[in-house]
Amino acid sequence: MKQKLEEIRSQALAALSEVSDVRELEALKVEYLGKKGKLTQILKGMGKLSPEERPVVGQVANEIRLALEEGIQSVRERLNRELINQKLKSEVIDVTMPGTKKDLGRKHPLTNILDEIKDIFLGMGYEIAEGPEVETDYNNFEALNIPKHHPARDTQDTFYITENVLLRTHTSPVQIRHMKSHKPPIRIICPGRVYRSDAVDATHSPIFHQVEGLVVDKGVTMGDLIGTLQVFAKGIFGENTKIRLRPHHFPFTEPSAEVDVSCWGCNGTGCRICKGEGWVEILGAGMVHPNVLRECGIDPEIYSGFAFGLGIERITMGKYGIDDMRLLFENDMRFLKQF
Ligand code: PHE
């Protein structure tokens, strides 16, 4: 019996050394240690042995069982390690491989131009002021010297929300808000979105963007306005740019002017951009009307000021040679990627 046991031991250990995967290992365990396994059978037959033989054989059988269990355990561990190593090898990441490229966003052309405008005025000591897009009729019109039924209202087709609440038609109401809450000296620009009930075409959109400028202090003159606008025009359109003022009328400034810059396409000789004129209109400006200062609690006998308002779309289209305003609002990536 002892000999039979030794045979089983060497058979089992030999088989164990040839096991190459977990399935074979489990099969081997069943073959020897399972309910009907070879070793189990022998242990079951021990009852038939004599009392002297029993402990001797029992000891050997137990030794073999232990040795087999340990052997199986260590082979199982080795197989698991091999499995993990294999997985690590096959799932290895090549960090030198080129990645998938993510599309990068970029600034909208309107934002580019607005940033340039802000830089110029911040450089001259201006602050940025903002106001709401939903305004009162008072801030948008009345306080700007445009009473009800004033013909100037017809030039700004207004989206009314109620009789006295509207979508601002220009950034000028921010002037009013600022003058009512700040004492001179005042030096601000007010960028923002404005609304007019215009039909959409190549040069009109019911939503567009303006930048308002306002300076109020003692002794501010038209000369200061012209000098400021010169700096601005050169900053945006280049050092050689000239400006020209044409008399105009705005209810909130007196005197008022429309301001042209010499054409950046042809330097004033006439081209497609300026339609042969040599000049391109870019903004409205003037000296703040005494009625407006007074309405905001500023004494026009002591203080004077200038204001100007420009359309960001117009300047952006001019500078980049964009001939249809709709392109600025459609957000087609093929268009936006060019800037
Ligand atoms: N608010 C005017 C407009 O939108 C522009 C402007 C502003 C003109 C300030 C003069 C002074 O048409």
Side-chain angles (χ1 to χ4, degrees), residues 156 169-172 175 196 210 212-213 250 252-253 257 284-286 307-310:
Q156 302 193 352
T169 57
H170 50 182
T171 41
S172 302
Q175 291 189 26
R196 289 184 200 180
Q210 287 189 332
E212 187 89 359
F250 295 110
F252 32 89
T253 47
F308 56 87
L310 55 88

Side-chain angles (χ1 to χ4, degrees), residues 1-42:
M1 183 137 229
K2 225 175 138 188
Q3 198 193 334
K4 209 173 170 193
L5 275 170
E6 289 303 338
E7 253 169 49
I8 287 175
R9 184 208 300 258
S10 54
Q11 246 180 38
L13 291 179
L16 194 59
S17 70
E18 273 165 26
V19 160
S20 63
D21 66 34
V22 183
R23 275 240 312 274
E24 280 176 34
L25 187 70
E26 291 310 321
L28 186 121
K29 188 176 167 190
V30 172
E31 188 182 342
Y32 288 92
L33 301 175
K35 263 190 191 150
K36 288 178 185 158
K38 290 180 184 164
L39 195 63
T40 318
Q41 292 302 325
I42 291 197

Side-chain angles (χ1 to χ4, degrees), residues 207-253:
I207 303 174
F208 58 103
H209 300 81
Q210 287 189 332
V211 177
E212 187 89 359
L214 173 72
V215 171
V216 182
D217 203 352
K218 288 176 183 159
V220 175
T221 68
M222 194 85 181
D224 297 320
L225 170 61
I226 294 171
T228 303
L229 294 178
Q230 261 162 0
V231 171
F232 165 70
K234 284 177 196 287
I236 294 287
F237 296 107
E239 242 345 271
N240 293 325
T241 310
K242 294 184 187 60
I243 63 166
R244 142 180 121 170
L245 278 70
R246 282 178 288 104
H248 195 71
H249 174 264
F250 295 110
F252 32 89
T253 47

